Amino acid sequence: MEAFATKVASLAQKLAGILAEKLGHKSSFFQESCLPSTCYLRLNRYPPCPIPLGIYGIMPHTDSDFITILHQDQVGGLRLAKDGKWVSVKPNPDAFFINIGDLFQAWSNGFYTSVEHCVVTHPTKERLSAAYFLCPSNETVIESCSKPSVYTKFSFREYRQKVQEDVRLYGYKVGLPRFLP
Ligand code: OGA
Ligand code: NI
């Protein structure tokens, strides 16, 4: 796991750098604010679920980070929202699934958008995945790299608190729309 985390950490940094460069920013921001101690690896296990109703293993959501690198096994079940429809992602254990998260959307001023995704359970097979989240420290202020900015600036701590508060109050994450002026 440590070897995996080290590899995907440098991949995430590289990708963030490339995406920033596409916007005309040679940014050291990600290297300075996303440290090994602030990023994390989540191991997901989805037990089989025989109810044939497309039960969520993980509810529809966008990731609250800059970039997610996901490795999944061959079972499948990952879906992403595209043009108002759920699209199944073909499982490929030899590939990574790269997700833009909310923070990259805010930083890029909406140029890159975080993708809504979910996992539906398999009736008979257990599914495993590993997701690496490129996250800054709680104190890091997320501010758009261009002006005028779509979102008001916020610290990662404020963002996480808002997400938790919304989930507690409403049962779902509102996310970036909370930071529209
Ligand atoms: C997540 C996630 C998808 C998966 O952990 O945020 O979306 O395939 N995981 O496990
Ligand atoms: Ni996710």
Side-chain angles (χ1 to χ4, degrees):
M1 274 193 281
E2 277 173 14
F4 176 77
T6 309
K7 289 266 191 225
V8 289
S10 77
L11 177 61
Q13 282 290 352
K14 201 175 273 181
L15 290 170
I18 291 168
L19 294 175
E21 222 168 279
K22 287 265 173 220
L23 283 174
H25 287 266
K26 240 190 151 20
S27 183
S28 55
F29 170 69
F30 303 102
Q31 254 143 28
E32 284 157 14
S33 58
C34 303
L35 307 171
S37 58
T38 64
C39 297
Y40 63 99
L41 186 67
R42 182 196 286 159
L43 306 177
N44 297 303
R45 171 179 169 265
Y46 303 90
C49 179
I51 304 168
L53 289 172
I55 301 295
Y56 289 130
I58 193 164
M59 293 278 285
H61 68 281
T62 55
D63 294 341
S64 302
D65 62 343
F66 285 110
I67 285 178
T68 310
I69 297 182
L70 181 87
H71 179 265
Q72 53 171 332
D73 62 17
Q74 67 298 327
V75 173
L78 179 65
R79 292 185 183 170
L80 60 90
K82 189 169 189 281
D83 306 323
K85 286 196 193 110
W86 287 114
V87 178
S88 293
V89 178
K90 205 169 152 192
N92 181 354
D94 293 327
F96 288 134
F97 179 78
I98 315 286
N99 234 351
I100 299 285
D102 300 336
L103 300 189
F104 220 112
Q105 178 167 336
W107 186 83
S108 71
N109 217 9
F111 185 82
Y112 299 114
T113 51
S114 60
V115 176
E116 200 177 13
H117 55 282
C118 67
V119 174
V120 289
T121 50
H122 192 279
T124 57
K125 288 182 197 154
E126 175 183 86
R127 175 176 184 271
L128 300 173
S129 72
Y132 180 84
F133 297 88
L134 186 69
C135 287
S137 66
N138 280 326
E139 291 70 40
T140 303
V141 174
I142 315 299
E143 204 176 357
S144 156
C145 68
S146 60
K147 298 282 175 285
S149 50
V150 177
Y151 306 101
T152 52
K153 64 179 177 187
F154 52 83
S155 72
F156 188 42
R157 175 176 283 111
E158 283 175 283
Y159 195 71
R160 295 173 88 148
Q161 281 171 349
K162 233 337 151 233
V163 168
Q164 279 173 18
E165 192 182 304
D166 285 338
V167 169
R168 201 173 54 240
L169 290 174
Y170 310 113
Y172 62 91
K173 167 184 162 183
V174 178
L176 278 182
R178 276 274 179 257
F179 295 90
L180 288 169

